[in-house]
Amino acid sequence: MPTHEQLKTMADKLRIHSLRMTTAAGSGHPTTCLSAAEIMSVLFFAVMGGNDEFVHSKGHAAPILWAALAEAGLIPREELAGLRRVDSVLEGHPTARMPLVRVATGSLGQGLAAGCGMALAKRLDRAPGRVFVLQGDGETAEGSVWEAADYAVQAGLDNLALVIDANRLGQSGPTRHGHDLAAYERKFRAFGWEARVVDGHDVASLAGALAQGAPGRPLAVIARTFKGRGVSFLEDREGWHGKPLGAAELERALAEIGPADIELPSAYSPARPSFSFRDFSAGEYAPGDMVATRAAYGKALLALGRADGRVVAVDGDVKNSTMAEEFFRAFPGRAVEAYIAEQNMAGLALGLSAMGFVPWVATFAAFLARAHDHIRMAQYSGANIKFVGSHAGVSIGADGPSQMGLEDLALFLAMPEAMVLYPGDAVATAKLVREMARHVGISYLRTTRDKTPVLYENGEEFPAGGLKVLRSSPADRALVAGCGITLHEALKAHDALSRRGVAVRVVDLYSLRPLPEAELARHAEECGGRVVVAEDHYGGVIAGLVAGVVGKVASLHVREIPRSGTSGELLALMKIDSAAIVAAVEELLDDDPS
Amino acid sequence: MPTHEQLKTMADKLRIHSLRMTTAAGSGHPTTCLSAAEIMSVLFFAVMGGNDEFVHSKGHAAPILWAALAEAGLIPREELAGLRRVDSVLEGHPTARMPLVRVATGSLGQGLAAGCGMALAKRLDRAPGRVFVLQGDGETAEGSVWEAADYAVQAGLDNLALVIDANRLGQSGPTRHGHDLAAYERKFRAFGWEARVVDGHDVASLAGALAQGAPGRPLAVIARTFKGRGVSFLEDREGWHGKPLGAAELERALAEIGPADIELPSAYSPARPSFSFRDFSAGEYAPGDMVATRAAYGKALLALGRADGRVVAVDGDVKNSTMAEEFFRAFPGRAVEAYIAEQNMAGLALGLSAMGFVPWVATFAAFLARAHDHIRMAQYSGANIKFVGSHAGVSIGADGPSQMGLEDLALFLAMPEAMVLYPGDAVATAKLVREMARHVGISYLRTTRDKTPVLYENGEEFPAGGLKVLRSSPADRALVAGCGITLHEALKAHDALSRRGVAVRVVDLYSLRPLPEAELARHAEECGGRVVVAEDHYGGVIAGLVAGVVGKVASLHVREIPRSGTSGELLALMKIDSAAIVAAVEELLDDDPS
């Protein structure tokens, strides 16, 4: 074990790196690194072993993370000079471009939830070691921290330790609690945590507080620190957040800190998980049977759970609506009840994915918006998470707009690498769950509340990036693209138009990303370029995708705020039902009867 | 004052209404109404006066809210039978379609933040009365509750009272704490609240606990209740969440409860706020000067603050980045530091709006995703809130993707009634702040971090729903639409193409909703139908809007996950810079040289 003097010297070395790196980059947050120097020194060079995990929740202090990894021998020291450069993986805030990072941070207050997921993963694997999360004091105001604090106690995560770098100053002024560390202590104790207050610049106190946790409950070490510590003109001063030193200031600062010549070994050795796919049969259905796609999802998840012991279900007290409940009954050890705390639900999934589990996260599509920032950040972690949103659109009916997922597709389509799937029946759902299981990355499945008829034979395949042609003839004069609930409206519209002598082609656009661009373009052309897209969502996002491929389309989407009513009344009121599709086709033909 | 016996009878009358309404509707949540019957009776008929406000955070218990409003004489009793019908304003969860509702609920854990905003509004107005929030126990797991709990103490809101209806059962099983009411008590006390635990079915205890708060701090009354209370086969039973009784079950239940013949007066009388616009001059600039639009926003907000005493600024510890800081210095009494807790920031704004203040809420565009669910719900409250997102897009540079707003436009464009504005220079910013101030509803302004040249004369007008033509000639062979940072790239592309003898028209698409459809269509036609849209955002959402009007467009948007680098490097790497625009125009002309 290194001496306290050595750890203090290493802390200063991390300070020097952080100051040099940010000055070289011309931007960054040196002072928030300086407050954490002793904490990082103690964690990386005294406390953490080869089985331990680290989450750097205060992502703007990225330089000191890069510095610690370099001193730990995990990054060549010369790479530190690349901080924030476009050709470096040492970004301004940690992302998975740097292969040792599995939890990207920079949106504050998210690290603890991921840490909970990692600690839970260790429990599931009966694996040794602890998970350490370094969090700022300012970010402790984020509600997701308290969602995670609740969860850690619920799960008895005594392999989890949170260190709060309470440096008193936020970006634009003092934090809410400043140096009232008793306030943090009271809160964590009330939530059921072991809480210890220490001098965060005293390596002996830090090492003592972090050496071991408390049986049966998580540990919070609240460290009193000073922003800019170690440099007289920075320490505890306002106005220095996110500002690198100029060259002359840097020289003065380095002179104050002194040489800090030291090298220490570190046992910390994070590794990326690998994922493999185990094939399974996700359920069979009889054409014409009435089955909600959410029910087909529940059945497929259960089958997947049987095939693959790495699959974990995470739910937010709606498992009897998302239909994850059968999985919960069959595999209680791999079923995580996150309660009504969707941010933590997503963060838990990130931590589980970082440790090689495959989380399937389900709630009402509307409530995924609650976790939007966590979902957005998960894409920068290179996570392998499957999100499932039930109760999509106005077709849920009487519960009213608060329960209707009308922005979930916009959310996931604004993530460039996310797979986005929207099945129209139970067979498609089963096959698309298989596609998601096979895919490594973030994917989204949108399911429908109401029962709808089974359309497909069980042998039908649904590759990501494909589409299905459900009605087709050489005489087709318009293309109608539907998905989910509107696919059934499109089929009704086809029949109504057929009775009037108008042939239309109907396609099931079950794969929104990847989008079947070439197939879509071909069908549109074969139908005279007349295209109608009907979607149970705000803003016409599917129409926007289609228009990008085929040109102008008639977009039927939810254009005003809906209300309570029956499913059929609302589809009609919002003009996304079969009658609206018929009218749109007729208008296209009136405008261009050729 | 009514007697305790009368209040008990009224509680039963509210039970009867709730059961009858949900059975008539064929859906809804009767058992969660039954647990709250005594609380609602005491609040509406004993505690609340004409100056008090009520927020129904447990929105799925809407029937008992409608019942209480009917018994209070504020809704005709016969309207109760319309619950959840498409022609009724009594929706499945409360929305502002019912004019007495100013805080729509149904996404859980949001009411307390709004209650904080209303209590703060009373402080700002030096108005009497208290704000009461009824919250379920399950939703107490939401982090936004703890963000609000922190804020209420910070602001010393002793005019705020929270009642937790701790009925032990969530949707899919028991809540995390069940009937361990001491757990809630510990938490609220640790956060600095006065906390009182009572029997929630004992009207005397409830009336006593609610009669007055504690000086200087908010009050939490934690009420031990039973879901389904008063009906033997429902009370404290699992499996009844969200299920109405059948006709025979209803008869049995009503027989158990008895007649409950009573009428009581209520002093509760909520009112909708009205808003008026006071004109102001939002700032003048010299063409060619380098000014960040976020700086122009700060200047405009300050000027607006001088003109209109109802304007409040709300910020999340980034006021020196959003540039709201000048307002904070000038009007500390109307400046709300919400700290790093964006959900509560949005919820506070909703409460302020509900009381007739006009909140301007700013943070990094990326972090508005943290409040997505609260922002989404605000549209169902009929709120008048101005959101401002700074640091939009990859052009922020070295901080990396976590700090880049790349999904904010998708978020706001998925709100059908939201105004969405994106200024290209300081003059446009000043004028668009004025447009937002004039507009009643939800609106969004997207600002840029970097300084960009002033393009417009101060006399230029920027009506919502308009566009600006910056470069135009009869020889134009393509239309290039930019906004914000890409407008400047479009101008550079124009010059580069001009040197090659290719004339293109450049429009500033500063108004994304309302979209200038007719003008866009005309310009596209005049340019031969060749349209390039460049946007610093994921997914091509602006291109999707434009394609809806003009047909196929060449969409330049952020198609992969960006990284740290300089602004110029990233615009180039993501292919949304002037060179990419030039290439896109040339490709369009190659494909179709006519």
Side-chain angles (χ1 to χ4, degrees), chain A residues 9-23:
Chain A
T9 306
M10 177 56 79
D12 280 341
K13 195 169 186 188
L14 300 178
R15 286 192 168 94
I16 292 168
H17 281 309
S18 302
L19 290 166
R20 282 191 192 281
M21 291 164 74
T22 47
T23 294

Side-chain angles (χ1 to χ4, degrees), chain A residues 89-307:
Chain A
V89 296
L90 306 186
E91 298 203 58
H93 295 74
T95 74
R97 278 194 198 280
M98 200 281 138
L100 302 176
V101 171
R102 287 167 296 156
V103 176
T105 51
S107 183
L108 292 168
Q110 299 197 9
L112 187 58
C116 284
M118 295 170 93
L120 172 64
K122 282 186 175 292
R123 280 293 152 77
L124 295 177
D125 277 336
R126 294 189 173 76
R130 297 161 71 194
V131 178
F132 295 88
V133 178
L134 175 62
Q135 180 175 291
D137 48 353
E139 62 180 310
T140 309
E142 287 285 8
S144 49
V145 169
W146 301 102
E147 295 180 8
D150 260 342
Y151 181 79
V153 171
Q154 167 192 333
L157 299 177
D158 56 10
N159 56 350
L160 176 69
L162 171 70
V163 186
I164 298 183
D165 176 13
N167 68 20
R168 193 185 75 81
L169 292 174
Q171 170 175 326
S172 68
T175 59
R176 181 183 271 130
H177 290 315
H179 264 156
D180 177 9
L181 270 58
Y184 299 108
E185 189 183 21
R186 271 195 306 274
K187 289 177 178 179
F188 278 97
R189 288 205 177 136
F191 272 67
W193 286 53
E194 168 81 4
R196 299 170 186 162
V197 173
V198 299
D199 176 347
H201 296 305
D202 177 6
V203 295
S205 303
L206 282 167
L210 285 163
Q212 55 183 28
R217 61 185 196 278
L219 168 66
V221 172
I222 301 145
R224 181 187 174 89
T225 61
F226 293 94
K227 205 160 175 172
R229 173 72 168 197
V231 178
S232 58
F233 56 95
L234 301 176
E235 186 166 326
D236 208 29
R237 300 279 175 95
E238 289 192 50
W240 273 103
H241 183 94
K243 290 184 186 157
L245 302 190
E249 290 166 331
L250 178 64
E251 287 313 306
R252 273 178 62 200
L254 296 183
E256 283 191 23
I257 295 171
D261 285 328
I262 194 164
E263 296 204 4
L264 291 174
S266 172
Y268 177 63
S269 62
R272 285 233 167 161
S274 62
F275 297 96
S276 58
F277 172 64
R278 288 161 191 262
D279 209 353
F280 68 107
S281 168
E284 304 224 320
Y285 300 91
D289 274 5
M290 296 296 289
V291 184
T293 56
R294 63 181 170 130
Y297 164 67
K299 195 170 163 183
L301 180 68
L302 181 67
L304 173 61
R306 284 205 192 96

Side-chain angles (χ1 to χ4, degrees), chain B residues 4-15 18 32-47 64 68 134 163 165 198-207 210 223-231 235 257:
Chain B
H4 292 158
E5 208 51 47
Q6 287 175 313
L7 290 170
K8 283 168 67 175
T9 307
M10 177 55 80
D12 280 341
K13 194 169 188 187
L14 299 178
R15 286 192 169 93
S18 302
T32 198
C33 294
L34 267 49
S35 65
E38 280 78 15
I39 297 168
M40 292 294 278
S41 172
V42 167
L43 281 174
F44 277 74
F45 302 97
V47 171
I64 200 164
L134 175 63
V163 186
D165 176 13
V198 300
D199 176 347
H201 298 304
D202 177 5
V203 295
S205 301
L206 282 167
L210 285 163
R224 180 186 174 89
T225 61
F226 292 93
K227 205 158 174 173
R229 173 70 167 197
V231 178
E235 186 165 326
I257 295 171

Side-chain angles (χ1 to χ4, degrees), chain B residues 87-99:
Chain B
D87 55 358
S88 168
V89 296
L90 306 185
E91 299 202 58
H93 295 74
T95 73
R97 278 194 200 280
M98 201 280 140

Side-chain angles (χ1 to χ4, degrees), chain A residues 73-88:
Chain A
L74 297 164
I75 300 178
R77 283 198 189 89
E78 52 274 21
E79 286 193 14
L80 295 181
L83 176 74
R84 291 173 164 250
R85 293 214 186 118
V86 76
D87 54 359
S88 168

Side-chain angles (χ1 to χ4, degrees), chain A residues 142 150 187 317 342-343, chain B residues 142 150 172 187 342-343:
Chain A
E142 287 285 8
D150 260 342
K187 289 177 178 179
D317 191 23
E342 293 79 8
Q343 296 183 86
Chain B
E142 287 284 9
D150 260 341
S172 68
K187 290 176 177 179
E342 293 79 8
Q343 297 182 86

